[in-house]
Amino acid sequence: MVVVKVGGSAGIDYDAVCADVAALWKEGRRLIVVHGGSGETNRVAEALGHPPRFVTSPSGYTSRFTDRQTLEIFEMVYCGKMNKGIVERLQRHGVNAVGLSGLDGRIFEGRHKDSVRAVENGKVKVLRGDHTGTVERVNTGLIELLLSGGYLPVLTPPGASYEGVAINVDGDRAAAALAAALGADALLLLSNVPGLLRDFPDERSLIREIPANEVEAYLDFAQDRMKKKVLGAAEAVAGGVRRVIFGDARAGAPVSAALAGAGTVVS
Ligand code: ADP
């Protein structure tokens, strides 16, 4: 089993990713796709007059402040345009894909965090009304049901809180929780960079290998959103996933290339 997380930043070639996923699926590989949608969500939020707000925690993690209106815009883009766009591409390639959010069937479940600590102008503030959370449980039964019926699951945030409220969960960490829960052989975190760069944005500084027991030490190289990917990788390997690969989704056959070891391999 391979979990393929494809990001939502500018430059990602979804046609290339879907063609590659479809080819591997037809060869008999068991695959699950998890995707993001942050770039498009930012554009739609601006257009709807509710621009995105990003907050940085005291420990340096950046996240989207998700008030109710933001959550609704987030759902339109992630569960609507992005999810159906990927499902449609896979269907065109003859793969019977099913697109679901983590809220559907409680695929991604976790605790709702209503408030977030954010550093603004050098001061730590507590912001309330946030709809975020971290995936703590995965409904593997529903995923297995789809796979055993021959359907390829295409999953996206949000997840469900224990009270049944939609929560914005990080896609990389959700994919890591899914890969661990399913005992996947590999988790691919595909984005618009060649992998983890020692000296971002210099692409020649690609880190090729990270020993599984040293992942957290590499958090220092990652800035802003890349930190969540490194954290997700650490969680996945701690959860028993043998290989996590940070790969490039901008062209070529991104899934096959990552499986063949292109990018940053954590093992
Ligand atoms: P996605 O939405 O595709 O999952 P993100 O935009 O959340 O991906 O994270 C990838 C981004 O992280 C890159 O586009 C890059 O701007 C940034 N980044 C920060 N530090 C690094 C690093 N050391 N190596 C690679 N990318 C980095």
Side-chain angles (χ1 to χ4, degrees):
M1 170 83 67
V2 177
V3 174
V4 181
K5 157 69 177 34
V6 54
S9 300
I12 289 172
D13 186 342
Y14 293 100
D15 290 331
V17 172
C18 291
D20 200 10
V21 165
L24 291 165
W25 180 260
K26 287 178 188 169
E27 283 169 16
R29 277 243 189 210
R30 298 217 318 160
L31 295 163
I32 298 171
V33 175
V34 179
H35 66 86
S38 63
E40 187 64 15
T41 298
N42 295 347
R43 272 189 293 281
V44 172
E46 292 278 357
L48 292 176
H50 192 68
R53 179 175 178 190
F54 288 96
V55 295
T56 304
S57 72
S59 47
Y61 287 92
T62 307
S63 62
R64 183 187 297 277
F65 182 70
T66 311
D67 59 13
R68 189 75 210 176
Q69 203 182 339
T70 299
L71 179 75
E72 288 171 5
I73 297 168
F74 180 97
E75 288 176 334
M76 285 182 218
V77 177
Y78 278 69
C79 313
K81 182 172 180 179
M82 300 300 295
N83 190 266
K84 298 316 146 199
I86 291 172
V87 170
E88 184 188 8
R89 285 178 178 91
L90 291 169
Q91 290 290 354
R92 267 196 224 151
H93 284 291
V95 174
N96 207 353
V98 171
L100 294 171
S101 80
L103 186 58
D104 297 283
R106 298 179 172 276
I107 292 172
F108 296 138
E109 198 172 21
R111 199 169 44 83
H112 176 190
K113 238 174 100 226
D114 172 71
S115 63
V116 62
R117 283 175 5 112
V119 183
E120 282 182 353
N121 303 324
K123 287 197 190 125
V124 179
K125 288 186 184 165
V126 176
L127 305 174
R128 297 199 187 280
D130 201 11
H131 284 77
T132 58
T134 305
V135 178
E136 293 165 350
R137 282 169 49 174
V138 177
N139 184 353
T140 52
L142 179 51
I143 303 297
E144 294 288 3
L145 193 65
L146 289 170
L147 288 169
S148 65
Y151 300 100
L152 191 160
V154 179
L155 308 177
T156 184
S161 77
Y162 295 117
E163 296 79 29
V165 174
I167 47 173
N168 178 2
V169 294
D170 179 69
D172 294 309
R173 294 180 68 194
L178 175 72
L182 289 169
D185 312 305
L187 166 66
L188 313 185
L189 298 175
L190 307 180
S191 185
N192 63 352
V193 280
L196 182 64
L197 305 175
R198 191 172 287 276
D199 182 19
F200 176 76
D202 180 359
E203 297 200 354
R204 290 167 306 175
S205 70
L206 175 69
I207 297 166
R208 295 207 169 269
E209 282 176 23
I210 300 179
N213 58 355
E214 290 176 23
V215 196
E216 274 164 17
Y218 285 77
L219 272 171
D220 292 345
F221 297 113
Q223 289 142 37
D224 53 76
R225 306 228 310 270
M226 198 69 193
K227 276 189 188 290
K228 293 266 176 74
K229 290 188 198 297
V230 179
L231 197 62
E235 289 167 348
V237 292
V241 179
R242 271 189 282 127
R243 282 201 308 161
V244 180
I245 300 140
F246 300 105
D248 198 335
R250 289 175 297 184
V255 179
S256 306
L259 283 173
T264 305
V265 180
V266 183
S267 63

